[in-house]
Amino acid sequence: MLEQNKTDLQTAIKQAKSKILDLAIYGKLIPQDTNDEHESNLKRSKLEEGDLLISIAGTLGKVGFVKKSDLPMNTNQAIAFVRLQKNIFNNMFLKYSIESPSINSNLLSKTKATSIPNLTLEMISDCLIPLPSLAEQQRIVSKIEEIFAILDRISNELGTDI
């Protein structure tokens, strides 16, 4: 009888260990911390302030930036993100470059023909953008914004939104 109790106890211990492992891998053993999940499982898609976002599925070539107030945030397969080196790139210069008709149409001409048009990350990385010095990028962005402000004021005075 003692031997049978010992065997039963060993079986119960094995079953308990198996159950604990199952609970652990399904996130049921301890309360889940969403920050931990964000740090581990979603690490590749974790966005940072200033990341450039480019739509690559459906509506293509739309560009935006991640703001601090948006965080924490992750991207999905419909959005590509580019993390820029601040000492080389002016974010707005890159945004305006991608939005320029010549670069945007070149990028969009490479889309894959499917029921939902899309760009690949390779197509994005192969996109050639002229890169002047950081100081010149900043001067170009300032001039673009100055001209756009004048054009927006004229548009507002005409009562149209362009």
Side-chain angles (χ1 to χ4, degrees):
M1 176 120 196
L2 187 58
E3 278 304 310
Q4 182 59 42
N5 287 341
K6 188 176 178 182
T7 303
D8 290 346
L9 184 56
Q10 287 173 334
T11 301
I13 289 171
K14 273 186 177 179
Q15 290 172 341
K17 285 182 174 182
S18 291
K19 185 64 175 176
I20 288 169
L21 291 177
D22 277 345
L23 290 170
I25 65 169
Y26 290 110
K28 306 269 187 215
L29 183 63
I30 59 172
Q32 286 187 305
D33 182 343
T34 56
N35 291 327
D36 287 346
E37 181 180 355
H38 191 253
E39 292 298 322
S40 60
N41 297 340
L42 305 173
K43 189 174 184 176
R44 271 187 59 189
S45 64
K46 184 179 175 187
L47 297 171
E48 295 178 7
E49 182 181 4
D51 284 347
L52 176 74
L53 305 175
I54 306 169
S55 61
I56 59 172
T59 303
L60 303 176
K62 298 293 182 190
V63 182
F65 292 102
V66 176
K67 295 178 277 187
K68 187 174 186 171
S69 61
D70 296 328
L71 299 174
M73 183 169 65
N74 290 73
T75 186
N76 65 20
Q77 66 275 17
I79 303 291
F81 73 92
V82 179
R83 188 155 295 140
L84 304 170
Q85 292 182 335
K86 306 276 187 263
N87 60 338
I88 298 174
F89 293 100
N90 176 299
N91 286 358
M92 290 306 294
F93 177 81
L94 189 56
K95 178 183 184 295
Y96 288 141
S97 296
I98 293 170
E99 290 175 341
S100 73
S102 58
I103 291 176
N104 197 272
S105 63
N106 181 32
L107 190 59
L108 297 181
S109 71
K110 299 174 183 180
T111 60
K112 288 187 169 185
T114 63
S115 59
I116 298 175
N118 61 62
L119 295 165
T120 64
L121 296 178
E122 183 179 1
M123 292 172 190
I124 299 287
S125 67
D126 288 345
C127 182
L128 298 177
I129 296 175
L131 188 62
S133 70
L134 185 57
E136 187 165 342
Q137 291 175 52
Q138 291 166 335
R139 287 193 302 273
I140 291 168
V141 167
S142 292
K143 189 54 131 175
I144 289 170
E145 290 176 348
E146 177 187 328
I147 294 168
F148 278 14
I150 293 168
L151 294 173
D152 288 344
R153 191 170 54 245
I154 293 169
S155 177
N156 288 337
E157 288 174 10
L158 295 173
T160 59
D161 190 23
I162 298 177

